[in-house]
Amino acid sequence: MKWLEASTENCPVQRTLDVVGEKWTLLILRDAVNGVRRFDDLHRHIGLSEAVLSDRLRKLTAAGILKAVPYQEPGSRSRNEYRLTRKGWDLWPVLMALSQWGELYAVGPEGPVLDVRHADCDAPVRVVVECSEDHTALTPADVTARLGPGARLRP
């Protein structure tokens, strides 16, 4: 069986994009990674409508990527903060890869908004692909791709 003969309904890229593949969702995740947790702060910082933000937060919470944690300011009603779960934090390398690509190809001459560095040595952080045997910085020429156990023929 070859790739073009395989059904893509169980493709992990497709399934991931079904959950997080919308611009506003990725921007919510970007802000959540950077410590923005409250609805009003997300609304103000990202600049999307309240209805769209509510919808995306509901979907991310239902998917187990964010969890709603109640808080209450003195004299105000109870509200929720939206905190990343382990599943949400596991998207951090994806966001870093998008940022790394954007720094190379999409950022203007003024440079990136955020400079992410290793806390121990202050070197810039970069995303690399490695194998499970710790061979790092692999390129597409260094890998082979085979159909996995979930592959089925296209109807």
Side-chain angles (χ1 to χ4, degrees):
M1 185 171 21
K2 294 184 175 25
W3 177 247
L4 288 176
E5 297 169 352
S7 169
T8 57
E9 69 186 44
N10 198 35
C11 171
V13 173
Q14 181 175 329
R15 295 263 173 121
T16 302
L17 290 174
D18 288 345
V19 179
V20 299
E22 198 273 329
K23 171 188 171 180
W24 297 121
T25 300
L26 290 170
L27 294 178
I28 291 166
L29 292 173
R30 175 206 60 194
D31 277 18
V33 162
N34 287 297
V36 182
R37 295 188 176 111
R38 296 185 175 179
F39 185 95
D40 290 341
D41 294 334
L42 289 163
H43 177 253
R44 183 176 48 255
H45 194 248
I46 299 172
L48 72 164
S49 74
E50 289 184 0
V52 172
L53 178 57
S54 292
D55 179 64
R56 298 310 182 275
L57 290 171
R58 191 172 24 262
K59 287 178 180 175
L60 287 166
T61 302
I65 293 169
L66 293 176
K67 66 179 175 183
V69 178
Y71 75 94
Q72 188 170 8
E73 297 285 340
S76 298
R77 67 178 175 86
S78 180
R79 295 179 158 207
N80 287 324
E81 286 188 342
Y82 296 90
R83 297 183 186 171
L84 289 163
T85 63
R86 169 68 6 225
K87 189 176 179 180
W89 278 110
D90 284 346
L91 286 163
W92 182 70
V94 175
L95 295 168
M96 291 300 301
L98 286 169
S99 181
Q100 183 174 308
W101 186 91
E103 287 178 20
L104 283 173
Y105 301 109
V107 170
E110 64 280 357
V113 172
L114 203 58
D115 183 17
V116 181
R117 294 185 171 264
H118 183 212
D120 288 346
C121 71
D122 201 40
V125 172
R126 64 185 172 91
V127 178
V128 297
V129 176
E130 66 181 26
C131 75
S132 61
E133 297 296 323
D134 294 327
H135 301 116
T136 61
L138 302 176
T139 69
D142 298 321
V143 303
T144 59
R146 305 183 259 280
L147 295 178
R152 286 172 274 186
L153 285 176
R154 293 176 65 93

